[in-house]
């Protein structure tokens, strides 16, 4: 009889322990899901985690940025990179010549397409964002990293947005950047290789320096403009519909959906 009662006590204790362990385990899972924004396994340093989808399936990973190349349009549909505060530099490096990207299997368009075209060789990942090393700077002069831009746009509103991006990188100690032209059918082209001239350019920034994600997305018409930058803020969803690209697909769906439908820029200091 004593053995029977001992057995009952041990059995009850076992199930109580299992139930508590499961409850604690579930609580830990809930906390992990809730705090996955700051998890060491999901940080801005995990560059691949934040990459968009590629509609062309030609992703090229350079040391200091990654791109998805569109052979049809002879330029990248997006260029993605992290810009940290300690990478900001004012060194005046000598500009190299533009060269073809050796990693683009289909071959990137020659810089000669831009000659006497009336368009600048507009950087997507700006050379000014990669002045912290000679190699990083030189990588931005691959022709896979340029798109035809009117000078009034390239040196105007687009340059203003690039400068603001560097301001935010300093303020928030790093932002993740995805940028490119909106590549669609029947665009005007230049050069012998028919390099497409986008009608719009976009830039999307992500920050999680304060333990939670925030994003801001810009869709800028390819023209001169004196409008304030915040007038170009749009939901990421709008850019996705125009490009067919899924931005930040690795984020949990609830977080991705919340971020991508918002055009709120109050969390960004203008």
């Amino acid at each position: 009889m004593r053995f029977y009662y001992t057995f009952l006590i041990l059995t009850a204790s076992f199930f109580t322990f299992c139930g508590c362990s499961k409850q604690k385990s579930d609580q830990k899972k809930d906390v992990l899901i809730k705090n996955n924004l700051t998890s060491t396994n999901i940080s801005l340093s995990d560059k691949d985690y934040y990459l968009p989808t590629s509609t062309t399936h030609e992703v090229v990973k350079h040391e200091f940025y990654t791109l998805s190349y569109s052979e049809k349009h002879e330029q990248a549909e997006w260029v993605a990179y992290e810009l940290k505060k300690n990478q900001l530099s004012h060194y005046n490096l000598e500009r190299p010549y533009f060269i073809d990207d050796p990693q683009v299997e289909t071959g990137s368009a020659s810089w000669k397409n831009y000659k006497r075209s009336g368009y600048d060789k507009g950087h997507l990942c700006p050379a000014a964002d990669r002045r912290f090393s000679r190699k990083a700077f030189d990588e931005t002069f691959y022709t896979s990293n340029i798109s035809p831009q009117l000078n009034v746009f390239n040196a105007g509103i687009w340059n203003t947005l690039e400068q603001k991006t560097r301001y935010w990188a300093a303020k928030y100690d790093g932002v993740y950047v995805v940028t490119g032209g909106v590549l669609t059918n029947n665009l005007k082209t230049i050069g012998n290789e028919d390099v497409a001239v986008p009608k719009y350019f976009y830039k999307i920034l992500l920050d999680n320096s304060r333990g939670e994600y925030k994003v801001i997305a810009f869709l800028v018409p390819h023209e001169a403009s004196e409008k304030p930058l915040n007038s170009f803020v749009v939901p990421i969803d709008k850019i996705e519909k125009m490009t067919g690209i899924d931005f930040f697909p690795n984020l949990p769906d609830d977080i991705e959906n919340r971020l991508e439908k918002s055009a709120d820029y109050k969390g960004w200091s203008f």
Side-chain angles (χ1 to χ4, degrees), residues 14 33 57 70 73 84 92 124 142 145-146 160 171 174 179 187 204-205 211 221 252 257 262 270:
F14 173 77
I33 292 172
H57 308 292
S70 173
H73 300 93
K84 296 288 287 181
N92 290 318
L124 296 176
Y142 288 139
N145 183 47
I146 59 175
T160 301
K171 183 176 180 63
T179 187
L187 292 173
I204 301 171
L205 309 179
N257 292 336
S262 173
F270 278 88

Side-chain angles (χ1 to χ4, degrees), residues 44 82-90 129 162-177 205-207 209-210 214 268-269:
L44 284 181
E82 182 185 9
L83 182 59
K84 296 288 287 181
K85 182 178 181 179
N86 63 9
Q87 293 176 331
L88 298 172
S89 171
H90 297 287
D129 286 3
E162 290 177 340
Q163 291 184 42
K164 183 60 73 173
T165 299
R166 288 188 283 275
Y167 165 79
W168 282 322
K171 183 176 180 63
Y172 305 125
D173 192 21
V175 291
Y176 193 82
V177 184
L205 309 179
L206 177 145
D207 167 56
S209 61
R210 297 182 180 179
K214 70 174 187 285
W268 298 82
S269 175

Side-chain angles (χ1 to χ4, degrees), residues 63-65 87 89-99 123 125-142 145:
E63 185 171 349
F64 298 102
Y65 64 86
Q87 293 176 331
S89 171
H90 297 287
Y91 291 137
N92 290 318
L93 299 175
E94 183 180 355
R95 291 168 68 92
Y97 292 111
F98 283 95
I99 61 172
H123 280 81
C125 175
D129 286 3
R130 289 293 179 258
R131 287 177 175 164
F132 56 86
S133 83
R134 178 83 251 181
K135 184 176 181 181
F137 186 74
D138 287 353
E139 268 192 357
T140 67
F141 286 83
Y142 288 139
N145 183 47

Side-chain angles (χ1 to χ4, degrees), residues 152-219:
V152 292
F153 174 84
N154 185 28
I157 189 65
W158 194 246
N159 180 55
T160 301
L161 180 53
E162 290 177 340
Q163 291 184 42
K164 183 60 73 173
T165 299
R166 288 188 283 275
Y167 165 79
W168 282 322
K171 183 176 180 63
Y172 305 125
D173 192 21
V175 291
Y176 193 82
V177 184
V178 186
T179 187
V182 176
L183 304 181
T184 57
N185 295 325
N186 303 315
L187 292 173
K188 176 183 177 180
T189 62
I190 61 171
N192 293 331
E193 295 177 273
D194 296 326
V195 180
V197 180
K199 294 180 180 179
Y200 294 88
F201 286 86
Y202 67 87
K203 194 178 292 288
I204 301 171
L205 309 179
L206 177 145
D207 167 56
N208 70 345
S209 61
R210 297 182 180 179
E212 62 179 356
Y213 285 127
K214 70 174 187 285
V215 297
I216 190 168
F218 298 86
L219 181 66

Side-chain angles (χ1 to χ4, degrees), residues 23 25-35:
Q23 184 177 10
S25 176
D26 289 341
Q27 289 173 345
K28 287 180 179 179
K29 288 180 181 178
D30 289 341
V31 170
L32 179 60
I33 292 172
K34 185 176 181 180
N35 295 334

Side-chain angles (χ1 to χ4, degrees), residues 12-115:
S13 298
F14 173 77
F15 283 108
T16 300
F17 172 78
C18 289
C20 291
S21 297
K22 184 178 186 303
Q23 184 177 10
K24 289 180 179 179
S25 176
D26 289 341
Q27 289 173 345
K28 287 180 179 179
K29 288 180 181 178
D30 289 341
V31 170
L32 179 60
I33 292 172
K34 185 176 181 180
N35 295 334
N36 63 5
L37 307 180
T38 56
S39 170
T40 56
N41 293 323
I42 305 175
S43 68
L44 284 181
S45 61
D46 297 320
K47 294 178 288 186
D48 287 357
Y49 183 82
Y50 296 103
L51 290 180
T53 58
S54 170
T55 68
T56 66
H57 308 292
E58 187 168 7
V59 175
V60 176
K61 296 182 180 180
H62 291 299
E63 185 171 349
F64 298 102
Y65 64 86
T66 302
L67 63 90
S68 173
Y69 196 78
S70 173
E71 176 64 22
K72 177 181 178 180
H73 300 93
E74 289 292 7
Q75 63 196 274
E77 63 173 347
W78 53 257
V79 171
Y81 61 99
E82 182 185 9
L83 182 59
K84 296 288 287 181
K85 182 178 181 179
N86 63 9
Q87 293 176 331
L88 298 172
S89 171
H90 297 287
Y91 291 137
N92 290 318
L93 299 175
E94 183 180 355
R95 291 168 68 92
Y97 292 111
F98 283 95
I99 61 172
D100 295 354
D101 189 333
Q103 294 190 42
V104 175
E105 293 184 1
T106 57
S108 61
S110 170
W111 64 269
K112 294 180 181 178
N113 291 282
Y114 292 76
K115 194 173 182 180

Side-chain angles (χ1 to χ4, degrees), residues 117-128:
S117 68
Y119 291 90
D120 289 355
K121 297 181 282 290
H123 280 81
L124 296 176
C125 175

